[in-house]
Amino acid sequence: MAQPSQRIQEMMRKFEEQAAQAGRLRERVQEIKGQGRSADGSVTVTVAPSGAVLDLQLTASATRQPHTSLQQSIMTAIREGTQDAARQMDETVQPVLGDRAEQFKSAFNAHSPAPPTAPPEGSTQRADDEDDHSDGSFLR
């Protein structure tokens, strides 16, 4: 039978290994960035696993679209970026956490905003002047 000091040393060694593994996992998760792009390539976004948009790039052709089309292109790119980040998150945590990965994802998602959802098929956006801020200002 192992001496109490040996058991304590073994417990400490396991704890230190788990702490190091958790630190490496945290670093890898922080590096995850999902990419999304509109079908025509005029909108590109970079999204964090939390769903936060980190970068938005618009081509010149994006700004020539009607505002409702641009809005849909942006939302589509955000959805794709969020899905890409979620896929990367799964690939990162699953090998490390195994069957505990679902618990981790639940805890992580509890602190993240819900990803944007697609508008209902056939829905239209308001196109009146109240929502059109094409003059560059949203202040009235």
Side-chain angles (χ1 to χ4, degrees):
M1 175 146 73
Q3 296 294 321
S5 64
Q6 290 174 327
R7 286 195 316 235
I8 291 173
Q9 287 176 351
E10 179 64 19
M11 289 171 52
M12 288 299 294
R13 185 190 61 74
K14 285 182 181 180
F15 174 77
E16 288 170 355
E17 286 176 9
Q18 289 175 342
Q21 186 178 37
R24 287 188 301 272
L25 180 60
R26 189 180 106 236
E27 289 172 6
R28 291 176 62 195
V29 166
Q30 289 175 335
E31 294 172 358
I32 293 173
K33 293 178 178 58
Q35 293 286 317
R37 174 173 256 154
S38 63
D40 65 0
S42 65
V43 176
T44 304
V45 297
T46 303
V47 183
S50 66
V53 175
L54 302 173
D55 187 39
L56 170 65
Q57 296 176 359
L58 305 174
T59 64
S61 65
T63 60
R64 291 190 288 270
Q65 296 179 29
H67 70 279
T68 55
S69 296
L70 179 57
Q71 178 184 7
Q72 290 176 350
S73 292
I74 291 170
M75 294 304 293
T76 297
I78 291 171
R79 276 191 296 282
E80 286 184 11
T82 303
Q83 291 169 351
D84 183 37
R87 179 192 52 76
Q88 290 180 53
M89 176 74 84
D90 287 346
E91 290 173 358
T92 300
V93 302
Q94 188 65 42
V96 176
L97 298 179
D99 54 353
R100 295 179 307 186
E102 286 303 316
Q103 285 179 297
F104 173 83
K105 287 190 292 187
S106 294
F108 184 85
N109 291 331
H111 301 288
S112 301
T117 58
E121 189 107 2
S123 71
T124 58
Q125 299 290 327
R126 287 178 48 183
D128 59 20
D129 286 359
E130 279 186 347
D131 292 336
D132 185 5
H133 305 293
S134 58
D135 66 350
S137 173
F138 59 90
L139 301 174
R140 299 270 182 212

